[in-house]
Amino acid sequence: MPNLFRKWFKYNLLKSQISLLLFLTITIFLIILIVSITSYNTSKSVLQEQLNDPQQQMLQISMNFIDEVINESNRIATEVALDDHVYEFLTSNEQNSYENITGIYKMLSSFINNSSIIKSIYVYDMNRGSFVTIPHGYSATKKTFVDSQWTDVADELKDKMMIVKKRDVPEGAKNSGSEITLFRKILIHGKFKGLVAINLKEEKLFAKINPPTLTSLDSTRFIMDEQKRNP
């Protein structure tokens, strides 16, 4: 009888030890797993923040650069709108006089030549549908100026003085495809008489967002604060 009790005791003791060992093994495994997952997530979060910092800085620099370009282009558009030759072009009965058109050419050419980001500038007479542009020249009607589909932007301006938008350029125009264009109203005695359109060099406008190693990307990121763009 004592031998039977001893065997029973040893069996239960061994069984308890195995159960305890199994319990401890599972517990330690779960603790290690939880710690590992927590450490991984923490490390991943820290690494992601470190990776995002340069991108956020680059994005902020790019946004600041775009702001500067838009503000400078808007200043130039304002100067064009206030130019005496442009006033004469929009109000004179003989708007295509050689002297006046030449004056507008020189003024527009000066702005383009002194800017690394302006591609071309258009001045549009809303009443007569005529244009003076660099580099296209003078056009008496829309029929003789291929890139004239944008003139309906006047309806979008309404109470705004200026907007910036990406637009399609029709086939047959010198730069067909698309343009990033700043449009500004020309007001004479408080009346909406014309438009200044400044076409920007897209590759330079987004150069800081799309560095040389990313130029093969098809998409272009254009960030705009509508409230800041419409003084």
Side-chain angles (χ1 to χ4, degrees):
M1 191 70 175
N3 290 333
L4 182 63
F5 177 77
R6 192 178 296 108
K7 289 180 180 181
W8 177 84
F9 178 77
K10 288 182 178 181
Y11 171 77
N12 282 281
L13 180 62
L14 180 61
K15 184 178 179 181
S16 298
Q17 289 175 341
I18 293 173
S19 297
L20 179 60
L21 181 61
L22 183 61
F23 173 77
L24 290 175
T25 302
I26 293 174
T27 302
I28 293 172
F29 172 77
L30 290 175
I31 291 173
I32 293 173
L33 181 63
I34 292 171
V35 171
S36 299
I37 293 174
T38 303
S39 299
Y40 169 77
N41 288 333
T42 302
S43 301
K44 181 181 178 181
S45 177
V46 171
L47 181 60
Q48 189 65 42
E49 288 179 3
Q50 292 176 348
L51 291 174
N52 283 340
D53 281 344
Q55 295 177 6
Q56 291 173 355
Q57 292 173 7
M58 184 181 72
L59 184 61
Q60 187 59 53
I61 291 171
S62 302
M63 290 173 67
N64 292 340
F65 175 73
I66 292 172
D67 280 341
E68 292 174 4
V69 169
I70 298 302
N71 289 334
E72 177 63 13
S73 300
N74 186 41
R75 183 192 66 78
I76 292 173
T78 302
E79 289 192 35
V80 172
L82 296 174
D83 183 77
D84 289 340
H85 293 293
V86 171
Y87 174 84
E88 187 73 14
F89 173 72
L90 296 175
T91 59
S92 173
N93 291 330
E94 189 183 352
Q95 68 170 185
N96 62 337
S97 69
Y98 176 80
E99 181 180 353
N100 195 56
I101 296 299
T102 300
I104 296 176
Y105 284 172
K106 289 180 179 179
M107 182 260 298
L108 299 182
S109 297
S110 175
F111 283 129
I112 293 173
N113 292 336
N114 290 318
S115 172
S116 63
I117 204 162
I118 295 178
K119 184 186 296 183
S120 56
I121 305 176
Y122 303 160
V123 177
Y124 172 57
D125 183 341
M126 291 178 58
N127 292 333
R128 287 174 281 201
S130 53
F131 302 83
V132 179
T133 71
I134 294 293
H136 304 289
Y138 171 77
S139 298
T141 68
K142 294 180 182 179
K143 293 179 180 179
T144 57
F145 184 46
V146 177
D147 187 14
S148 62
Q149 295 180 355
W150 53 269
T151 54
D152 57 0
V153 75
D155 298 329
E156 298 179 37
L157 282 164
K158 296 180 181 179
D159 59 341
K160 302 174 184 177
M161 282 299 296
M162 180 270 289
I163 62 172
V164 180
K165 61 183 297 183
K166 186 167 186 175
R167 64 186 182 86
D168 294 328
V169 180
E171 293 294 332
K174 185 173 181 180
N175 295 301
S176 59
S178 64
E179 295 274 19
I180 301 294
T181 305
L182 180 147
F183 298 98
R184 186 171 184 86
K185 285 181 178 179
I186 302 176
L187 300 179
I188 297 179
H189 304 306
K191 294 183 178 180
F192 191 1
K193 293 291 186 179
L195 283 167
V196 179
I198 296 183
N199 299 308
L200 304 174
K201 296 176 181 178
E202 189 171 341
E203 68 281 2
K204 291 194 174 182
L205 183 63
F206 298 113
K208 295 184 181 296
I209 294 181
N210 293 322
T213 55
L214 300 178
T215 52
S216 61
L217 295 179
D218 293 331
S219 61
T220 298
R221 288 154 288 180
F222 187 55
I223 303 162
M224 181 175 298
D225 182 343
E226 185 68 18
Q227 293 181 349
K228 291 180 68 175
R229 298 290 181 271
N230 299 298

